[in-house]
Amino acid sequence: MVSYKVTLFTGNQVAAGTFDRVSVKLVGTEGESERKWLVGFKGASAFIRGAESSFTVCAPTSLGKLVLVEVDKKSLPLLPEDSWFLTKVEVKSPDGDTFTFPVHRWISDSSVHRFREATGLRTLFKCNKLLCNQEDEEE
């Protein structure tokens, strides 16, 4: 069993938090995890305004490089569905790699929302003299 540390960041906007149940699913180049409902010691306050909440998501084998995270929420019985402003999701792999999934949006329904990993990569290419000089100045 392979464990991933998943941290969800709720925004600081007014009414950004939610009391709905939240689940995540990790998708990698080598497989995907089961959908996991996120329940922790914080209880209903796990996704309040400004919260950073971490959970463990397990998979039978390594998922490889993470490429996608799926997030959804469902309202609790007898409570109306509310909106939630999710800023980002960070996942730390067992190998120590950190994958960042920027969200920066309101989630106001019970649909599955998919977000791509967005670590900046520097591509290798043959650059012209002007471009190479500009990159050297930025560093």
Side-chain angles (χ1 to χ4, degrees):
M1 196 61 88
V2 181
S3 297
Y4 293 83
K5 180 182 176 188
V6 178
T7 304
L8 292 94
F9 296 80
T10 300
N12 282 314
Q13 293 82 344
V14 173
T18 185
F19 292 107
D20 291 347
R21 296 179 302 142
V22 174
S23 75
V24 298
K25 178 180 177 181
L26 306 176
V27 179
T29 56
E30 303 294 320
E32 55 189 53
S33 70
E34 295 289 324
R35 182 163 310 285
K36 164 129 184 190
W37 290 101
L38 305 178
V39 179
F41 68 92
K42 290 183 180 180
S45 66
F47 306 109
I48 61 171
R49 179 180 168 193
E52 293 179 19
S53 297
S54 296
F55 304 89
T56 300
V57 174
C58 296
T61 61
S62 173
L63 302 177
K65 182 182 182 306
L66 297 181
V67 294
L68 193 73
V69 65
E70 294 182 359
V71 178
D72 70 313
K73 65 181 195 62
K74 305 275 190 247
S75 62
L76 294 169
L78 304 176
L79 290 177
E81 190 168 54
D82 57 11
S83 295
W84 176 40
F85 192 88
L86 180 59
T87 303
K88 67 179 176 178
V89 178
E90 285 184 352
V91 181
K92 188 163 187 173
S93 74
D95 301 329
D97 297 324
T98 300
F99 299 91
T100 302
F101 300 86
V103 178
H104 301 287
R105 63 179 271 188
W106 289 96
I107 297 176
S108 56
D109 58 16
S110 58
S111 300
V112 174
H113 298 269
R114 293 169 181 88
F115 304 103
R116 287 192 236 168
E117 204 274 333
T119 301
L121 299 174
R122 188 174 189 171
T123 59
L124 298 175
F125 58 92
K126 185 174 181 178
C127 60
N128 64 36
K129 188 174 183 179
L130 178 63
L131 183 57
C132 290
N133 289 340
Q134 181 181 358
E135 286 183 349
D136 291 340
E137 290 173 9
E138 290 176 358
E139 294 176 354

